[in-house]
Amino acid sequence: MKRGSRTRLIIQVSLSAILVCFLISRLDLGDFANTIRTVDGLVFVGLCVLLVPGFLVRGYRWKLIFDDGPEKVSLWDSLWLLMVGLGLNLFLPASSGDIAKSFFAYKWSGVKERMLSTSLFDKIIALGSVAIIGVPAALYRGQFRYAGLSLVLMAVMIVMILTPLLAVKIPGVNKSLEKMTHMARGKLNFLDVIKALGVSPRVVLYAIALSVAGWLITYAQFYLAFKCVNAPVDVLYVFTVAPFITLARLFPFTLNGLGTDEMVICYFFKQAGLELETIIAAAIMFRLVTILAPGFLGLFILSAKKKMNIDLHHEEHEEERKEKQ
């Protein structure tokens, strides 16, 4: 491990440990143990079952974006890459494993810039789309401040989608990208990455719709985590604060958001009148089911498939095959 990476990991682990210890010090351990003992097993099973449609939606979204180019990828391979990204997220800051997985996608497929641009675009749409469920929920509940903040997040997504598409048309940008490519010693062509971000408006709309569906599933799981411990939580309140809980995971100085996630969740749900012990119990179950279990499965896949071949279908070859038929 490089010195910089080791230092970053030490900082992340240390800060996460400090925040976790602080939360534990505030808990009534007896009440917390009683809360854990009262977990509703049937609801917990429902929480786990929702992983399947959640993965399918996210995997298909990445495939949809990638397929809007000369190559095609199978849904199965897209799901493998999704799991690898979740595994990398356990150690990389700000959920950047979702982008870093493109390195392994390149190793397994031989396609570099398109894999990276797809992962970047997928991440941008995912982060911005969570605001789409936050705005109507906040407006319905009359929490206009939260609605306004979610709209800001949505605006950031729109800007991030448009900027790469317009940047290559601005004089001087191409030269800057060429200099960046030269600094990277040609290992990555930044101009090709930006150009590869160009996705048709139809695909963008479909990807956003899939993203919204994915977030609805994820925060339905979050809601069920509270119902597991019989917490009186309004599902619309969960959707209202969803954008801010998602942003908390992007904090780069803790290990996979451990500690910061829980602090933010405690802030919002203490306002909803819940006890700290109930909040932490629900947060632990949500993290265990939706982050840790899939993440470790992703690491297992990564170690087991050191030489995985991604089957890419070229559009031109498909057209030739159809013409022959």
Side-chain angles (χ1 to χ4, degrees):
M1 184 182 292
K2 294 181 180 179
R3 184 174 179 181
S5 300
R6 188 186 302 114
T7 302
R8 185 188 67 231
L9 182 60
I10 291 172
I11 292 172
Q12 289 176 325
V13 171
S14 299
L15 187 52
S16 287
I18 291 170
L19 293 174
V20 169
C21 288
F22 172 77
L23 288 171
I24 292 175
S25 70
R26 308 282 292 181
L27 284 175
D28 183 316
L29 295 180
D31 287 347
F32 179 72
N34 289 332
T35 301
I36 294 295
R37 280 196 288 268
T38 62
V39 168
D40 187 320
L42 187 61
V43 177
F44 184 76
V45 170
L47 167 62
C48 296
V49 167
L50 282 178
L51 283 172
V52 176
F55 288 155
L56 288 173
V57 166
R58 292 165 67 185
Y60 185 72
R61 183 186 65 209
W62 194 94
K63 168 181 164 55
L64 180 73
I65 297 170
F66 183 85
D67 284 357
D68 196 36
E71 296 92 11
K72 310 296 178 187
V73 68
S74 70
L75 177 59
W76 186 251
D77 285 333
S78 180
L79 288 170
W80 281 130
L81 290 174
L82 170 64
M83 300 308 297
V84 168
L86 293 173
L88 295 173
N89 278 341
L90 294 178
F91 303 101
L92 295 178
S95 296
S96 56
D98 294 325
I99 298 171
K101 69 183 181 185
S102 60
F103 170 78
F104 295 96
Y106 157 61
K107 290 294 185 182
W108 294 331
S109 70
V111 176
K112 185 186 295 185
E113 284 79 10
R114 183 67 186 170
M115 287 291 182
L116 177 57
S117 64
T118 297
S119 297
L120 281 168
F121 204 75
D122 181 70
K123 190 69 174 178
I124 290 169
I125 288 178
L127 291 177
S129 298
V130 68
I132 296 175
I133 70 172
V135 172
L139 289 175
Y140 185 84
R141 289 178 54 85
Q143 294 177 298
F144 302 112
R145 182 181 60 175
Y146 288 157
L149 291 172
S150 293
L151 281 171
V152 170
L153 179 59
M154 198 183 303
V156 170
M157 176 191 70
I158 294 171
V159 170
M160 291 180 73
I161 290 173
L162 293 177
T163 298
L165 307 182
L166 299 176
V168 291
K169 299 180 180 180
I170 300 173
V173 171
N174 285 10
K175 290 184 178 179
S176 298
L177 294 171
E178 287 173 0
K179 288 181 180 178
M180 292 171 65
T181 301
H182 180 71
M183 291 173 64
R185 298 179 180 179
K187 293 181 179 179
L188 184 64
N189 190 315
F190 287 91
L191 181 59
D192 286 349
V193 170
I194 295 299
K195 286 181 177 178
L197 277 171
V199 181
S200 67
R202 177 183 61 85
V203 169
V204 172
L205 290 176
Y206 284 157
I208 290 173
L210 286 169
S211 230
V212 171
W215 285 123
L216 286 172
I217 293 170
T218 295
Y219 281 97
Q221 290 177 288
F222 192 61
Y223 172 73
L224 289 178
F226 280 98
K227 300 311 290 182
C228 278
V229 291
N230 302 307
V233 174
D234 181 359
V235 67
L236 287 179
Y237 182 72
V238 172
F239 292 151
T240 296
V241 300
F244 314 108
I245 295 172
T246 301
L247 284 179
R249 193 159 297 129
L250 299 181
F251 186 70
F253 301 114
T254 54
L255 192 63
N256 191 238
L258 180 62
T260 48
D261 281 16
E262 287 71 20
M263 292 289 286
V264 170
I265 291 169
C266 287
Y267 170 78
F268 283 113
F269 288 91
K270 285 286 284 184
Q271 293 185 41
L274 298 185
E275 296 294 329
L276 180 63
E277 291 74 20
T278 300
I279 298 170
I280 295 299
I284 288 174
M285 280 188 290
F286 181 71
R287 176 175 287 277
L288 176 65
V289 173
T290 66
I291 299 175
L292 294 181
F296 284 116
L297 177 58
L299 291 178
F300 172 77
I301 291 171
L302 187 58
S303 63
K305 290 189 172 289
K306 293 181 180 178
K307 184 61 178 177
M308 184 176 100
N309 293 318
I310 293 179
D311 185 20
L312 296 177
H313 300 281
H314 293 270
E315 197 173 62
E316 294 84 354
H317 294 170
E318 288 294 312
E319 290 178 357
E320 289 177 6
R321 183 180 61 80
K322 290 178 181 178
E323 288 176 0
K324 290 179 181 180
Q325 290 177 344

